[in-house]
Amino acid sequence: AALSGRSRRIAMLASVLRSSVSPTVAPRACRGNVDRPTPVRALTVRGRCPVGPAASGRDDAGETSRLGRRQSAMAIATVLSGIEASSDFVRADPGAGQGIPAVTHTVFLDVGLCDSIVRADRALGNKGGVCTSPQTLGRITIGLYGNLVPNIVRNFVSLCEASPGEGYAGTVFHRVKPGEYVLAGQAGSYRLGQVQTPGFDSNPEMLSSASFRERHLRPGTVSLAVGAATGEGDGNGGYSPARSAGTEFLITTGPAPAPSLDGENVVFGRVLKGMDVVTRIAAVPTFRPSGNSIAWNQVAEWLRDERAAKARESWSKPTQAIVITDAGVLTRPDPVT
């Protein structure tokens, strides 16, 4: 609405300029002692004598010109002030009029970087195999769409609140695809920096096509990884409980949209603060396959060998452990009384 209003004001400005001040040919009656009939172009207030070399020198012509310029300036100032007010409105509420779902909860993820990959042989007792003193990368603050997919948001909040070994704290980002997304929350062994399978109740939202309608248009889009949780990279469509434990989530890195994620992963939030941290995560080097490995993988894929997809998982695996050192809830809706 603000942008359309701005367009209307710009059109109004153009109309004012066209109606008030325009270069035109001076009427012969206003030329005074000009002998030649050659047209003279001058700044002319419509219906009045020109101002400048073609003016007749009469006082009323100069006064009329000054009045026309004053009226035009006032009109321009009015239109520009309206445009500026519209711009302020857009800056104050960047999501206004863009169809972005409302944020109901805010959570945080504190992220650190180890000097090596996860080492399960270093894990003692219930401690994970990540380093004990990771380098701090920063905090990511995420706004959640509790009105859009309440069950998914509730499960995500519970994993943020859980203690290390039971939720996201102490687990790692296990896939990095620069220019697309980073992936975390893989279910499995805590010794490997993974999330212990929580055993969520059956979620009807995962069977509803409406849950998959939101698109991955903006950097910092947060979604439940369903397709992206498989070895197919961005997924191959559909939902299967065997393919997703409901714990993996991805954050798009930008700068461009990620249309390959649309329709296969459920958007449930966006990054409110900390996109610089997401950028640092995306900059961590990953394991790169050789040309021969890629070629043989393509052959295996053509032969429908399931190991091909498994092998591709390691191609985007970080060479250093990117650890969620802490997680929690910042705000939530007031309870209904």
Side-chain angles (χ1 to χ4, degrees), residues 3 42 76 111 171-172 296:
L3 293 178
I76 292 171
V111 185
T171 63
V172 300
W296 282 111

Side-chain angles (χ1 to χ4, degrees), residues 134-159:
Q135 173 191 347
T136 299
L137 292 183
R139 170 170 290 191
I140 302 172
T141 302
I142 300 173
L144 306 179
Y145 304 151
N147 295 331
L148 185 67
V149 279
N151 293 336
I152 291 174
V153 167
R154 183 178 64 249
N155 293 343
F156 188 79
V157 167
S158 69
L159 291 172

Side-chain angles (χ1 to χ4, degrees), residues 26-154:
R28 183 175 298 273
C30 297
R31 293 183 185 170
N33 296 325
V34 177
D35 297 328
R36 292 181 299 172
T38 304
V40 179
R41 298 187 65 81
L43 186 64
T44 307
V45 179
R46 182 162 297 181
R48 302 292 182 179
C49 291
V51 179
S56 64
R58 293 164 50 187
D59 292 341
D60 60 339
E63 182 63 26
T64 302
S65 174
R66 285 192 293 273
L67 178 60
R69 286 197 298 269
R70 188 180 303 113
Q71 292 174 337
S72 299
M74 292 176 63
I76 292 171
T78 301
V79 174
L80 290 180
S81 63
I83 294 175
E84 183 63 24
S86 297
S87 300
D88 289 341
F89 174 76
V90 172
R91 287 193 293 268
D93 186 5
Q98 299 182 26
I100 301 177
V103 169
T104 57
H105 306 65
T106 56
V107 300
F108 72 89
L109 304 174
D110 290 336
V111 185
L113 182 65
C114 294
D115 57 0
S116 65
I117 60 174
V118 176
R119 293 285 302 275
D121 58 339
R122 295 178 181 174
L124 298 174
N126 194 39
K127 294 183 178 179
V130 300
C131 61
T132 56
S133 301
Q135 173 191 347
T136 299
L137 292 183
R139 170 170 290 191
I140 302 172
T141 302
I142 300 173
L144 306 179
Y145 304 151
N147 295 331
L148 185 67
V149 279
N151 293 336
I152 291 174
V153 167
R154 183 178 64 249

Side-chain angles (χ1 to χ4, degrees), residues 257-337:
S260 62
L261 299 173
D262 295 343
E264 298 183 352
N265 306 277
V266 183
V267 174
F268 67 92
R270 67 178 184 269
V271 173
L272 302 178
K273 295 180 182 179
M275 272 306 297
D276 57 326
V277 181
V278 177
T279 301
R280 295 188 193 108
I281 295 173
V284 175
T286 59
F287 290 99
R288 297 291 183 183
S290 65
N292 285 338
S293 297
I294 296 175
W296 282 111
N297 189 274
Q298 291 174 340
V299 172
E301 179 70 17
W302 182 73
L303 295 174
R304 299 183 181 277
D305 190 332
E306 295 180 355
R307 292 173 294 180
K310 186 67 175 178
R312 285 198 296 273
E313 291 185 14
S314 64
W315 293 0
S316 52
K317 182 178 180 180
T319 58
Q320 299 172 261
I322 309 167
V323 189
I324 300 175
T325 58
D326 194 13
V329 178
L330 297 174
T331 64
R332 68 179 77 224
D334 294 332
V336 178
T337 56

Side-chain angles (χ1 to χ4, degrees), residues 200-208 212 224-227 236-246 263-264 266:
F200 292 137
D201 294 335
S202 178
N203 187 354
E205 291 169 357
M206 300 304 298
L207 303 176
S208 171
F212 294 83
L224 186 69
V226 180
N236 55 7
Y239 168 71
S240 169
R243 290 169 47 200
S244 174
E264 298 183 352
V266 183

